Amino acid sequence: MNFLTKKSPLDRYIADVKSYLPAKNRADIVEELRVNLAEKLANRAEDSGVEVSEESEIELLSEFGHPLRLAAQYQGEERSLVGPTLYPFYRMSVLVSLVISTCVMLSISLAEIFFRVELGDVSSPWMFVNTYIYIIGVITAGYVLTERLMERHNYLDSWEPNAMEQPDNALASAWGALVACIAAITWLVILNLLSIEHSLETLLGQNQNPIYTLVFWMKIETVILIPQYFYLVFNQTWSRNRLQLRIGSELILSLGCVVILFNNAGSLGLNYPDVPQSLASAFYYVLWGMIIATTLSAISYWRKLRLLEISD
Amino acid sequence: MSEKLEAMRLELRRGILILAVLNALKQEQYGYSLRKALQAVDIDIEEGTLYPLVRRLESYGLLDSRWSSEEGRKRRYYQTSPKGIETLLALQTDWQQLNKSLAKISEANK
């Protein structure tokens, strides 16, 4: 057979199905499929008195459906990257991250237009596309890993009814809130030890010092948190507004990390030449870790909010 | 609604098909003859669904199979294995129980 030999629809169909099958048992499955199809064609021809033709092959193949669908039937159990259990969280994480990154990129673009801030190549139109692909890829990988770990450790099977959250009494005590309040104030004092310029440039990461930008965003988050903790000392129940504020404060820090990641994360080594290159590179992972942690925290508060709304 | 109904029909039939195939294959058959045997008792199943299903049941150890060349035709024959018979009996018991329960619900809500 040479390259110009025309293959019958049946041969092309079988070759197509074969290309979609896993290596294990592939030859056997294809052989059986060929035998079954040929026999059915022959029987049809015998019944109708019309010889097997290209048309009769096409008619039969249309009954079998797309080769990809047939091959999928042989694969057995349905598979997906993120299953229905985690899908609502996955969808929300992607949506929130896309909204945050869009806000950041729009802020950067607006800063460039209105404040004449020099941003280099970060404001190119491809920044949006690249960022979306990157974010979706990282979140998908995270959820795929989480789902596989949950399966491996039978997380959902080891569930206990006692572990369910109380939507209206999620905080331990007034003392807990007081400790949290003191800790937040102390944290703010510590952050203030580092004298930074509270400017738009610092906030948007245009100051060539990512640590200053990170501190600025942390201060904003802490300032939002302190009144919340203070209020919780006197009233330990969650209200809808407080949960929304909490989600907002988590997302603010996440937003700050994204800003740094996009703008001045790479200039850490310039400001601190004594810092080894490996540590400067690790800063990227720290930022990603903070983004993931704050997003997960926001999701957990969103979950509380949903429980609260449902129980109302 | 017809699409939803079709999807529900498919879902309903999916589990029953296993019962039907395990039952039909108590006697050795090859793919095409199995389909004819099922059609003869008004179970019309697409071959694109039946052949992969048979393969899956075989991979679970519920069917035994062998290649054979009889009358000059090469065919792959399947038969319900001892493990398959055991599974079939268990599934049939469940099925009968479900049928009884459905009848009771239907009777109670007439």
Side-chain angles (χ1 to χ4, degrees), chain A residues 25 28-29 31-33 35-36 39-40 42-43 63-64 70 73-74 76-77, chain B residues 30-32 35 46-49 51-52 55-56 60 67 73-76 78:
Chain A
N25 297 333
D28 206 38
I29 290 172
E31 180 64 17
E32 188 184 11
L33 185 63
V35 167
N36 285 335
E39 179 150 3
K40 183 150 188 181
N43 281 341
E63 291 169 21
F64 269 72
L70 182 63
Q73 297 260 30
Y74 280 103
E77 290 157 14
Chain B
Y30 58 95
Y32 187 59
R35 202 216 168 186
E46 286 174 17
E47 281 143 303
T49 307
Y51 299 153
R55 278 276 173 175
R56 280 206 297 281
Y60 299 157
W67 280 102
R73 279 178 166 171
K74 196 179 171 191
R75 286 167 177 160
R76 191 180 175 93
Y78 294 93

Side-chain angles (χ1 to χ4, degrees), chain A residues 257-278:
Chain A
C257 294
V258 176
V259 166
I260 298 165
L261 208 57
F262 277 109
N263 291 314
N264 55 355
S267 53
L268 183 72
L270 299 176
N271 288 280
Y272 305 100
D274 295 339
V275 172
Q277 185 57 38
S278 56

Side-chain angles (χ1 to χ4, degrees), chain A residues 10 12 27 39 80 109 139 143 158 175 181 214 216 236 255 292:
Chain A
L10 190 73
R12 277 182 279 150
E39 179 150 3
S80 56
S109 304
I139 293 175
Y143 273 88
S158 57
W175 285 109
C181 188
L214 185 61
F216 198 171
Q236 291 89 49
L255 181 75
I292 292 167

